[in-house]
Amino acid sequence: MSATTTAQRSDQPGRIMSGEMAEQPAVLRRILDQGAPRIREVAERIAARKPRFVLLTARGTSDNAALYAKYLLEVLLGKPCGLTSMSTTTAYGAQPNLTDVLVITVSQSGGSPDLVASTEAARAAGAITLAVTNNADSPLAAVSEFHIDVLAGPEKALPATKTYTAELLALYLFVEGLRGGDGAAAKVLPDLAQQILDRQDEVRQLAARYRFAERMVLTSRGYGYPTAKEAALKLMETSYIPALSYSGADLLHGPLAMVDNISPVIAIVTEGKGGQALQPVLERLRGRGADLVVIGSAPEVERASAGFALPTDGVAEEVQPILEILPLQMLAYEVTIARGQDPDAPRALAKVTETR
């Protein structure tokens, strides 16, 4: 059964999340067709200001999208880049000099008070401020000098799916615009995304294998690391399975000791330099007898206990995360359904989290 078919069953728990996952190819296409010109315009105007370096501000799922942007900015632009700690300004009242610094705030709703306050403070401190949101009428968009709408449409399920991939694509096109690129590597994404979403039966089999897992460990390197963090978040907020995410390098610096042959380890193996850097980690995991699940190319999956082969042959490494997260979103959904829970309404969560 495809993701689209599942989305049409109105009596099924998780039907909203399922429907929004199924929308992702159309959202990616909309960004490429309708959003790209505006994104390029914003990028060109900001590039003309020649920012010294970049700071990224976000929470939750958007924080993982911001981490992806950090890799893009550092690798493709060679631009110094950091992730902010909002409490330094919102709680401690710090007043850094941000003259000629680009501050990018990523938020689906654009409504969290700390994001708005920290952006206001950054602009007052001389920063060039850019909001990347799914709500052009949000308070965050209003206080920012520039705004990019990710055009994902209303997202009603509490777990963010389509807004995450929309943020990734919008940020990729923005960075491409900063460096004068054409973003052509992204054109294959809508069709490949649909191919992945149509393989939900494969993911359902993985979910049956891991529905009783007491914990999961996720790891990757390079562009795949934000995917590991986002997948862990999705698993925790929907199925309540403790899921720990580590850079492959960090995993070897201590946490590897907790890996056994019972709890699954999910490795996102991006084709390219990130995947190559992860190889020593995969060897150590195999040596420990880990139940290794690989999200990556077919040869990598064949060497693992289980996995999902991605259609990424010839796809640029920097856009592969937009595809990598899709089977992991589906895995979180299917594991949650298999455990008798409703992924549309995780306990104790709200769609807009108002931190200060």
Side-chain angles (χ1 to χ4, degrees):
M1 183 181 296
S2 72
T4 303
T5 304
T6 303
Q8 294 170 347
R9 292 174 52 183
S10 61
D11 61 335
Q12 171 132 357
R15 65 182 179 84
I16 302 175
M17 180 180 176
S18 177
E20 290 173 351
M21 287 191 296
E23 289 179 39
Q24 290 177 102
V27 171
L28 297 175
R29 200 167 281 114
R30 185 184 309 136
I31 296 168
L32 290 170
D33 293 344
Q34 302 175 25
R38 169 60 180 164
I39 294 171
R40 175 174 289 278
E41 177 191 346
V42 169
E44 289 175 347
R45 292 176 63 187
I46 290 175
R49 303 269 289 273
K50 298 181 179 179
R52 292 183 291 131
F53 57 90
V54 183
L55 292 174
L56 292 139
T57 303
R59 296 283 192 203
T61 284
S62 293
D63 199 32
N64 299 325
L67 180 59
Y68 167 72
K70 184 176 186 292
Y71 276 92
L72 291 173
L73 288 158
E74 292 180 344
V75 175
L76 299 182
L77 259 66
K79 187 73 68 176
C81 187
L83 301 174
T84 65
S85 300
M86 280 175 278
S87 63
T88 60
T89 54
T90 61
Y92 291 93
Q95 296 179 322
N97 179 2
L98 299 180
T99 303
D100 298 328
V101 174
L102 172 59
V103 173
I104 304 173
T105 306
V106 188
S107 170
Q108 290 125 6
S109 69
S112 187
D114 57 351
L115 292 170
V116 175
S118 64
T119 301
E120 286 182 310
R123 192 168 182 181
I128 306 162
T129 53
L130 167 65
V132 179
T133 80
N134 194 40
N135 184 358
D137 297 322
S138 64
L140 179 60
V143 301
S144 299
E145 184 177 359
F146 298 97
H147 176 253
I148 290 174
D149 188 342
V150 302
L151 301 176
E155 189 172 59
K156 297 180 180 179
L158 287 176
T161 54
K162 65 177 183 175
T163 52
Y164 179 68
T165 49
E167 287 175 349
L168 296 190
L169 180 54
L171 288 163
Y172 166 73
L173 292 174
F174 172 70
V175 174
E176 276 288 277
L178 288 178
R179 69 176 188 147
D182 60 7
K187 292 180 179 179
V188 299
L189 296 176
D191 289 343
L192 293 179
Q194 188 63 61
Q195 291 178 28
I196 292 170
L197 292 171
D198 285 343
R199 294 163 57 193
Q200 190 158 353
D201 283 343
E202 293 179 46
V203 180
R204 192 171 292 119
Q205 292 173 14
L206 279 178
R209 179 183 176 117
Y210 297 114
R211 61 181 292 191
F212 297 115
E214 295 184 1
R215 72 163 185 249
M216 293 186 182
V217 175
L218 294 96
T219 189
S220 190
R221 291 204 67 180
Y223 286 112
Y225 180 43
T227 306
K229 290 176 68 66
E230 173 61 11
L233 177 60
K234 283 293 155 288
L235 285 161
M236 288 189 287
E237 69 183 358
T238 56
S239 69
Y240 317 140
I241 295 174
L244 307 172
S245 59
Y246 296 98
S247 158
D250 287 332
L251 185 64
L252 297 183
H253 283 265
L256 184 68
M258 70 176 173
V259 172
D260 53 32
N261 61 357
I262 299 174
S263 300
V265 178
I266 300 176
I268 296 92
V269 188
T270 304
E271 286 194 54
K273 293 181 179 179
Q276 294 166 14
L278 192 64
Q279 290 303 317
V281 183
L282 299 177
E283 292 302 323
R284 291 286 298 275
L285 290 169
R286 293 186 188 101
R288 290 189 60 81
D291 185 357
L292 181 62
V293 185
V294 166
I295 309 298
S297 65
E300 292 290 350
V301 172
E302 289 169 3
R303 298 180 63 197
S305 306
F308 187 100
L310 291 169
T312 51
D313 186 32
V315 178
E317 181 178 4
E318 57 265 26
V319 298
Q320 289 180 37
I322 300 170
L323 301 176
E324 291 166 350
I325 192 58
L326 300 177
L328 293 162
Q329 290 174 346
M330 290 193 288
L331 181 64
Y333 169 87
E334 292 292 351
V335 167
T336 305
I337 294 294
R339 290 163 70 97
Q341 296 152 199
D342 185 356
D344 281 345
R347 62 195 181 203
L349 292 183
K351 189 60 181 172
V352 180
T353 304
E354 296 191 353
T355 48
R356 295 185 182 275

Short mmCIF file of all heavy atoms in Angstrom, two decimals, residues 186-227:
data_model
loop_
_atom_site.label_atom_id
_atom_site.label_comp_id
_atom_site.label_asym_id
_atom_site.label_seq_id
_atom_site.Cartn_x
_atom_site.Cartn_y
_atom_site.Cartn_z
N ALA A 186 18.78 19.91 -7.47
CA ALA A 186 17.53 19.63 -6.76
C ALA A 186 16.39 19.21 -7.68
O ALA A 186 15.35 18.75 -7.20
CB ALA A 186 17.11 20.86 -5.97
N LYS A 187 16.57 19.34 -8.97
CA LYS A 187 15.45 19.09 -9.89
C LYS A 187 14.97 17.65 -9.89
O LYS A 187 13.81 17.36 -10.21
CB LYS A 187 15.84 19.53 -11.30
CG LYS A 187 16.01 21.03 -11.44
CD LYS A 187 16.39 21.44 -12.86
CE LYS A 187 16.54 22.95 -12.97
NZ LYS A 187 16.94 23.37 -14.35
N VAL A 188 15.83 16.72 -9.52
CA VAL A 188 15.45 15.29 -9.52
C VAL A 188 14.67 14.91 -8.27
O VAL A 188 14.11 13.80 -8.20
CB VAL A 188 16.70 14.39 -9.62
CG1 VAL A 188 17.45 14.66 -10.91
CG2 VAL A 188 17.62 14.57 -8.41
N LEU A 189 14.62 15.77 -7.27
CA LEU A 189 14.10 15.38 -5.96
C LEU A 189 12.62 15.01 -5.94
O LEU A 189 12.25 14.01 -5.30
CB LEU A 189 14.39 16.49 -4.94
CG LEU A 189 15.88 16.75 -4.67
CD1 LEU A 189 16.03 17.93 -3.72
CD2 LEU A 189 16.55 15.51 -4.09
N PRO A 190 11.71 15.77 -6.57
CA PRO A 190 10.29 15.40 -6.47
C PRO A 190 9.99 13.99 -6.96
O PRO A 190 9.28 13.22 -6.29
CB PRO A 190 9.59 16.47 -7.31
CG PRO A 190 10.50 17.65 -7.25
CD PRO A 190 11.87 17.07 -7.27
N ASP A 191 10.53 13.61 -8.10
CA ASP A 191 10.27 12.28 -8.64
C ASP A 191 10.90 11.19 -7.77
O ASP A 191 10.27 10.15 -7.51
CB ASP A 191 10.80 12.17 -10.07
CG ASP A 191 9.97 12.97 -11.06
OD1 ASP A 191 8.82 13.34 -10.73
OD2 ASP A 191 10.48 13.24 -12.17
N LEU A 192 12.12 11.41 -7.29
CA LEU A 192 12.76 10.42 -6.44
C LEU A 192 12.04 10.30 -5.09
O LEU A 192 11.92 9.20 -4.54
CB LEU A 192 14.23 10.77 -6.23
CG LEU A 192 15.13 10.68 -7.47
CD1 LEU A 192 16.56 11.09 -7.13
CD2 LEU A 192 15.10 9.28 -8.06
N ALA A 193 11.57 11.43 -4.58
CA ALA A 193 10.81 11.39 -3.33
C ALA A 193 9.56 10.54 -3.48
O ALA A 193 9.20 9.76 -2.58
CB ALA A 193 10.44 12.81 -2.90
N GLN A 194 8.88 10.67 -4.61
CA GLN A 194 7.69 9.87 -4.84
C GLN A 194 8.03 8.38 -4.91
O GLN A 194 7.31 7.54 -4.36
CB GLN A 194 7.00 10.30 -6.13
CG GLN A 194 5.64 9.65 -6.34
CD GLN A 194 4.66 10.03 -5.25
OE1 GLN A 194 4.34 11.20 -5.08
NE2 GLN A 194 4.19 9.05 -4.49
N GLN A 195 9.15 8.05 -5.55
CA GLN A 195 9.57 6.65 -5.62
C GLN A 195 9.78 6.07 -4.22
O GLN A 195 9.40 4.93 -3.93
CB GLN A 195 10.86 6.53 -6.42
CG GLN A 195 10.72 6.81 -7.91
CD GLN A 195 12.05 6.72 -8.62
OE1 GLN A 195 12.96 6.00 -8.19
NE2 GLN A 195 12.20 7.46 -9.71
N ILE A 196 10.37 6.86 -3.34
CA ILE A 196 10.63 6.39 -1.98
C ILE A 196 9.32 6.22 -1.22
O ILE A 196 9.09 5.19 -0.56
CB ILE A 196 11.56 7.37 -1.24
CG1 ILE A 196 12.96 7.32 -1.87
CG2 ILE A 196 11.63 7.05 0.25
CD1 ILE A 196 13.89 8.41 -1.38
N LEU A 197 8.44 7.18 -1.30
CA LEU A 197 7.18 7.12 -0.56
C LEU A 197 6.30 5.97 -1.04
O LEU A 197 5.48 5.44 -0.27
CB LEU A 197 6.44 8.45 -0.68
CG LEU A 197 7.10 9.63 0.03
CD1 LEU A 197 6.41 10.94 -0.34
CD2 LEU A 197 7.10 9.44 1.54
N ASP A 198 6.45 5.56 -2.28
CA ASP A 198 5.66 4.45 -2.81
C ASP A 198 6.13 3.09 -2.30
O ASP A 198 5.49 2.07 -2.58
CB ASP A 198 5.71 4.46 -4.34
CG ASP A 198 4.85 5.55 -4.96
OD1 ASP A 198 3.97 6.08 -4.25
OD2 ASP A 198 5.07 5.88 -6.14
N ARG A 199 7.22 3.07 -1.54
CA ARG A 199 7.77 1.81 -1.01
C ARG A 199 7.45 1.63 0.47
O ARG A 199 8.24 1.09 1.23
CB ARG A 199 9.28 1.79 -1.25
CG ARG A 199 9.66 1.73 -2.73
CD ARG A 199 11.11 2.12 -2.96
NE ARG A 199 12.03 1.29 -2.21
CZ ARG A 199 13.33 1.57 -2.04
NH1 ARG A 199 13.84 2.68 -2.59
NH2 ARG A 199 14.10 0.77 -1.34
N GLN A 200 6.27 2.03 0.87
CA GLN A 200 5.92 1.99 2.28
C GLN A 200 5.86 0.56 2.83
O GLN A 200 6.11 0.33 4.01
CB GLN A 200 4.58 2.69 2.53
CG GLN A 200 4.28 2.90 4.01
CD GLN A 200 3.27 4.01 4.25
OE1 GLN A 200 2.90 4.73 3.33
NE2 GLN A 200 2.86 4.15 5.47
N ASP A 201 5.56 -0.41 1.97
CA ASP A 201 5.52 -1.80 2.44
C ASP A 201 6.88 -2.24 2.97
O ASP A 201 6.96 -2.98 3.97
CB ASP A 201 5.09 -2.74 1.31
CG ASP A 201 3.59 -2.69 1.05
OD1 ASP A 201 2.87 -2.18 1.94
OD2 ASP A 201 3.15 -3.14 -0.02
N GLU A 202 7.96 -1.79 2.33
CA GLU A 202 9.30 -2.13 2.83
C GLU A 202 9.54 -1.55 4.21
O GLU A 202 10.12 -2.20 5.09
CB GLU A 202 10.36 -1.58 1.87
CG GLU A 202 10.39 -2.23 0.51
CD GLU A 202 11.46 -1.62 -0.38
OE1 GLU A 202 12.61 -1.45 0.10
OE2 GLU A 202 11.16 -1.30 -1.54
N VAL A 203 9.08 -0.32 4.40
CA VAL A 203 9.26 0.32 5.71
C VAL A 203 8.40 -0.37 6.76
O VAL A 203 8.82 -0.53 7.91
CB VAL A 203 8.92 1.82 5.62
CG1 VAL A 203 9.09 2.49 6.97
CG2 VAL A 203 9.80 2.50 4.58
N ARG A 204 7.22 -0.82 6.36
CA ARG A 204 6.34 -1.52 7.30
C ARG A 204 7.00 -2.80 7.80
O ARG A 204 6.86 -3.18 8.97
CB ARG A 204 5.00 -1.81 6.62
CG ARG A 204 3.92 -2.27 7.58
CD ARG A 204 2.56 -2.33 6.91
NE ARG A 204 2.09 -0.99 6.58
CZ ARG A 204 1.83 -0.57 5.35
NH1 ARG A 204 2.00 -1.37 4.33
NH2 ARG A 204 1.39 0.65 5.13
N GLN A 205 7.75 -3.47 6.93
CA GLN A 205 8.47 -4.67 7.35
C GLN A 205 9.57 -4.34 8.35
O GLN A 205 9.78 -5.07 9.33
CB GLN A 205 9.06 -5.37 6.12
CG GLN A 205 8.02 -5.97 5.19
CD GLN A 205 8.63 -6.51 3.90
OE1 GLN A 205 9.85 -6.70 3.80
NE2 GLN A 205 7.79 -6.76 2.91
N LEU A 206 10.27 -3.22 8.14
CA LEU A 206 11.26 -2.78 9.12
C LEU A 206 10.60 -2.47 10.45
O LEU A 206 11.12 -2.81 11.53
CB LEU A 206 11.99 -1.54 8.61
CG LEU A 206 13.13 -1.71 7.62
CD1 LEU A 206 13.67 -0.34 7.22
CD2 LEU A 206 14.24 -2.57 8.21
N ALA A 207 9.43 -1.82 10.39
CA ALA A 207 8.73 -1.46 11.62
C ALA A 207 8.32 -2.70 12.40
O ALA A 207 8.40 -2.73 13.64
CB ALA A 207 7.50 -0.61 11.28
N ALA A 208 7.89 -3.75 11.70
CA ALA A 208 7.52 -4.99 12.38
C ALA A 208 8.73 -5.60 13.09
O ALA A 208 8.61 -6.19 14.18
CB ALA A 208 6.94 -5.98 11.37
N ARG A 209 9.89 -5.41 12.49
CA ARG A 209 11.13 -5.95 13.08
C ARG A 209 11.53 -5.20 14.35
O ARG A 209 12.07 -5.80 15.30
CB ARG A 209 12.25 -5.86 12.04
CG ARG A 209 13.61 -6.35 12.49
CD ARG A 209 14.64 -6.14 11.38
NE ARG A 209 15.98 -6.50 11.81
CZ ARG A 209 16.71 -7.48 11.30
NH1 ARG A 209 16.23 -8.21 10.32
NH2 ARG A 209 17.94 -7.72 11.74
N TYR A 210 11.25 -3.88 14.38
CA TYR A 210 11.76 -3.06 15.47
C TYR A 210 10.68 -2.45 16.36
O TYR A 210 10.97 -1.57 17.16
CB TYR A 210 12.65 -1.95 14.89
CG TYR A 210 13.86 -2.51 14.19
CD1 TYR A 210 14.02 -2.36 12.80
CD2 TYR A 210 14.82 -3.23 14.89
CE1 TYR A 210 15.12 -2.90 12.15
CE2 TYR A 210 15.93 -3.77 14.25
CZ TYR A 210 16.06 -3.61 12.88
OH TYR A 210 17.15 -4.15 12.25
N ARG A 211 9.45 -2.93 16.26
CA ARG A 211 8.37 -2.33 17.04
C ARG A 211 8.58 -2.50 18.54
O ARG A 211 8.07 -1.70 19.34
CB ARG A 211 7.02 -2.94 16.64
CG ARG A 211 6.93 -4.44 16.88
CD ARG A 211 5.58 -5.00 16.46
NE ARG A 211 4.50 -4.53 17.30
CZ ARG A 211 3.27 -5.04 17.27
NH1 ARG A 211 2.98 -6.01 16.42
NH2 ARG A 211 2.35 -4.57 18.07
N PHE A 212 9.33 -3.52 18.95
CA PHE A 212 9.53 -3.76 20.38
C PHE A 212 10.89 -3.25 20.88
O PHE A 212 11.29 -3.56 22.00
CB PHE A 212 9.38 -5.26 20.70
CG PHE A 212 8.01 -5.79 20.42
CD1 PHE A 212 7.82 -6.74 19.43
CD2 PHE A 212 6.91 -5.32 21.13
CE1 PHE A 212 6.54 -7.24 19.16
CE2 PHE A 212 5.64 -5.81 20.86
CZ PHE A 212 5.46 -6.77 19.87
N ALA A 213 11.57 -2.51 20.06
CA ALA A 213 12.88 -1.98 20.47
C ALA A 213 12.73 -1.11 21.71
O ALA A 213 11.80 -0.31 21.82
CB ALA A 213 13.50 -1.17 19.33
N GLU A 214 13.65 -1.26 22.64
CA GLU A 214 13.62 -0.45 23.86
C GLU A 214 14.40 0.83 23.71
O GLU A 214 14.19 1.79 24.46
CB GLU A 214 14.17 -1.27 25.04
CG GLU A 214 13.29 -2.48 25.39
CD GLU A 214 13.78 -3.21 26.60
OE1 GLU A 214 14.81 -2.78 27.20
OE2 GLU A 214 13.15 -4.21 26.99
N ARG A 215 15.30 0.86 22.74
CA ARG A 215 16.01 2.09 22.41
C ARG A 215 16.60 1.93 21.02
O ARG A 215 16.72 0.82 20.50
CB ARG A 215 17.11 2.42 23.42
CG ARG A 215 18.33 1.53 23.34
CD ARG A 215 19.53 2.13 24.05
NE ARG A 215 20.70 1.30 23.84
CZ ARG A 215 21.31 0.58 24.77
NH1 ARG A 215 20.84 0.57 26.00
NH2 ARG A 215 22.39 -0.14 24.48
N MET A 216 16.94 3.05 20.41
CA MET A 216 17.61 3.04 19.11
C MET A 216 18.76 4.04 19.15
O MET A 216 18.68 5.06 19.84
CB MET A 216 16.65 3.39 17.99
CG MET A 216 15.55 2.37 17.73
SD MET A 216 14.58 2.80 16.26
CE MET A 216 13.37 1.47 16.25
N VAL A 217 19.78 3.75 18.38
CA VAL A 217 20.89 4.67 18.20
C VAL A 217 20.96 5.02 16.71
O VAL A 217 20.87 4.13 15.86
CB VAL A 217 22.23 4.05 18.66
CG1 VAL A 217 23.40 4.97 18.34
CG2 VAL A 217 22.18 3.74 20.16
N LEU A 218 21.09 6.29 16.40
CA LEU A 218 21.20 6.73 15.02
C LEU A 218 22.52 7.48 14.82
O LEU A 218 22.93 8.25 15.70
CB LEU A 218 20.02 7.64 14.63
CG LEU A 218 18.67 6.94 14.61
CD1 LEU A 218 17.93 7.15 15.93
CD2 LEU A 218 17.80 7.41 13.45
N THR A 219 23.14 7.23 13.69
CA THR A 219 24.44 7.85 13.46
C THR A 219 24.64 8.15 11.98
O THR A 219 24.05 7.53 11.11
CB THR A 219 25.58 6.93 13.97
OG1 THR A 219 26.81 7.64 13.91
CG2 THR A 219 25.70 5.67 13.13
N SER A 220 25.47 9.14 11.72
CA SER A 220 25.87 9.50 10.37
C SER A 220 27.03 10.47 10.47
O SER A 220 27.48 10.81 11.58
CB SER A 220 24.71 10.12 9.60
OG SER A 220 25.03 10.26 8.22
N ARG A 221 27.51 10.91 9.32
CA ARG A 221 28.52 11.95 9.30
C ARG A 221 28.22 12.90 8.14
O ARG A 221 27.53 12.56 7.18
CB ARG A 221 29.93 11.37 9.14
CG ARG A 221 30.41 10.59 10.36
CD ARG A 221 31.93 10.53 10.45
NE ARG A 221 32.52 11.85 10.70
CZ ARG A 221 33.83 12.06 10.83
NH1 ARG A 221 34.68 11.05 10.71
NH2 ARG A 221 34.29 13.27 11.05
N GLY A 222 28.75 14.12 8.25
CA GLY A 222 28.58 15.10 7.19
C GLY A 222 27.12 15.49 7.01
O GLY A 222 26.37 15.66 7.97
N TYR A 223 26.71 15.58 5.75
CA TYR A 223 25.35 16.03 5.45
C TYR A 223 24.29 15.11 6.05
O TYR A 223 23.15 15.52 6.25
CB TYR A 223 25.15 16.11 3.94
CG TYR A 223 25.83 17.28 3.28
CD1 TYR A 223 26.91 17.09 2.40
CD2 TYR A 223 25.39 18.57 3.49
CE1 TYR A 223 27.53 18.16 1.78
CE2 TYR A 223 26.02 19.66 2.88
CZ TYR A 223 27.08 19.44 2.02
OH TYR A 223 27.69 20.51 1.40
N GLY A 224 24.64 13.85 6.31
CA GLY A 224 23.67 12.92 6.88
C GLY A 224 23.42 13.10 8.36
O GLY A 224 22.43 12.57 8.89
N TYR A 225 24.30 13.81 9.06
CA TYR A 225 24.14 13.95 10.50
C TYR A 225 22.84 14.64 10.90
O TYR A 225 22.15 14.18 11.82
CB TYR A 225 25.37 14.67 11.08
CG TYR A 225 25.32 14.87 12.57
CD1 TYR A 225 24.90 13.87 13.43
CD2 TYR A 225 25.74 16.08 13.14
CE1 TYR A 225 24.87 14.06 14.81
CE2 TYR A 225 25.72 16.28 14.51
CZ TYR A 225 25.27 15.28 15.34
OH TYR A 225 25.22 15.47 16.69
N PRO A 226 22.44 15.75 10.24
CA PRO A 226 21.13 16.32 10.59
C PRO A 226 19.98 15.34 10.39
O PRO A 226 19.00 15.37 11.13
CB PRO A 226 21.01 17.52 9.63
CG PRO A 226 22.42 17.89 9.30
CD PRO A 226 23.16 16.59 9.27
N THR A 227 20.11 14.44 9.39
CA THR A 227 19.08 13.42 9.19
C THR A 227 19.00 12.49 10.38
O THR A 227 17.90 12.13 10.82
CB THR A 227 19.39 12.61 7.91
OG1 THR A 227 19.56 13.48 6.80
CG2 THR A 227 18.27 11.62 7.62
#
